[in-house]
Amino acid sequence: DAMVIQNPRYQVTQFGKPVTLSCSQTLNHNVMYWYQQKSSQAPKLLFHYYDKDFNNEADTPDNFQSRRPNTSFCFLDIRSPGLGDAAMYLCATSRVARGTFNYYEQYFGPGTRLTVT
Amino acid sequence: AQKITQTQPGMFVQEKEAVTLDCTYDTSDPSYGLFWYKQPSSGEMIFLIYQGSYDQQNATEGRYSLNFQKARKSANLVISASQLGDSAMYFCAMREGLRGDTNAGKSTFGDGTTLTVKP
């Protein structure tokens, strides 16, 4: 089945120790997103790739970076995790068709729960 | 101002009854899409239903229907015949932009409603 895969599902890192979360998709979607979600809150968009174009949200801390080496993979790098970065990180994909009025749903991965000690 | 407002932090419904989850939105774009997602305690967000701003009819998907009132800017989710497995957090989301070009498909999410189905 086509899907969005996130690894690892659970990640424990130390304060200040860089960590990378990964996301892969078999849907061949052109847009990939990274969200941060804290308990019982709405997902907060950190950034997204529209094809190869990187789009950062204005309030995303510099501590968060992303890479998309190809259509299928996208990585979230947290350079120096703080205690406040402990959260669920959700990767999502979508088709976005330029020049059309079509709006397609997002497909989400199962998330990576990050703990910072 | 919030673009998506879900006024019900928590809702309870008896099994087999119908329930309506409220969502109001704010946009000046004539072209937008409205989505509902379900997030069980496992964490994965699951797409439920979509309504486009130009759609003439309310969307339906199985037990889910969307009560779309464009003039009132509301897009309430109706779940019929609730099941215990419907217990989850439900998010309303909006994607704006003319012809999908602007905002590159970004969605704005509401704060969610936690639905509990009682046996």
Side-chain angles (χ1 to χ4, degrees), chain A residues 33 37 42 50 100 103-104 106, chain B residues 31 37 39 95 97 99 104-105 110:
Chain A
Y33 312 79
Q37 187 180 27
Y50 192 161
T100 75
Y103 295 90
Y104 298 104
Q106 291 175 302
Chain B
S31 178
Y37 293 89
Q39 189 176 39
R95 181 176 290 181
R99 294 183 293 170

Side-chain angles (χ1 to χ4, degrees), chain A residues 76-96:
Chain A
L76 169 62
D77 300 308
I78 309 176
R79 293 192 296 187
S80 182
L83 297 177
D85 296 329
M88 175 77 90
Y89 289 88
L90 296 169
C91 173
T93 72
S94 185
R95 274 189 295 161
V96 177

Side-chain angles (χ1 to χ4, degrees), chain A residues 42-103:
Chain A
K44 177 181 181 298
L45 182 65
L46 296 173
F47 25 58
H48 69 279
Y49 275 93
Y50 192 161
D51 297 319
K52 295 181 180 179
D53 297 330
F54 177 70
N55 299 272
N56 201 26
E57 292 301 295
D59 58 354
T60 298
D62 293 339
N63 200 23
F64 292 85
Q65 304 285 321
S66 185
R67 297 169 281 136
R68 189 181 186 186
N70 54 52
T71 301
S72 302
F73 285 87
C74 196
F75 300 97
L76 169 62
D77 300 308
I78 309 176
R79 293 192 296 187
S80 182
L83 297 177
D85 296 329
M88 175 77 90
Y89 289 88
L90 296 169
C91 173
T93 72
S94 185
R95 274 189 295 161
V96 177
R98 294 184 191 271
T100 75
F101 287 107
N102 294 322
Y103 295 90

Side-chain angles (χ1 to χ4, degrees), chain B:
Chain B
Q2 273 205 314
K3 288 197 170 186
I4 295 284
T5 302
Q6 295 181 251
T7 57
Q8 307 152 314
M11 288 281 285
F12 291 88
V13 65
Q14 205 67 38
E15 193 179 8
K16 299 181 185 177
E17 291 186 350
V19 63
T20 298
L21 306 183
D22 295 342
C23 173
T24 58
Y25 60 92
D26 183 27
T27 181
S28 56
D29 272 313
S31 178
Y32 52 90
L34 297 157
F35 303 82
W36 277 91
Y37 293 89
K38 172 185 178 182
Q39 189 176 39
S41 55
S42 59
E44 187 168 356
M45 295 273 263
I46 304 164
F47 165 73
L48 296 177
I49 195 167
Y50 160 78
Q51 180 83 44
S53 59
Y54 296 109
D55 293 343
Q56 296 298 312
Q57 293 188 328
N58 286 347
T60 60
E61 287 286 347
R63 294 188 298 112
Y64 305 108
S65 60
L66 207 151
N67 184 2
F68 181 47
Q69 298 187 44
K70 195 171 181 177
R72 297 180 60 186
K73 293 188 175 178
S74 74
N76 299 337
L77 176 70
V78 180
I79 305 175
S80 63
S82 297
Q83 302 171 356
L84 296 177
D86 294 335
S87 293
M89 194 149 187
Y90 289 80
F91 289 97
C92 179
M94 177 172 64
R95 181 176 290 181
E96 301 168 273
L98 185 63
R99 294 183 293 170
D101 284 350
T102 60
N103 297 320
K106 286 167 42 174
S107 290
T108 304
F109 284 80
D111 289 335
T113 295
T114 300
L115 176 67
T116 303
V117 181
K118 298 189 287 186

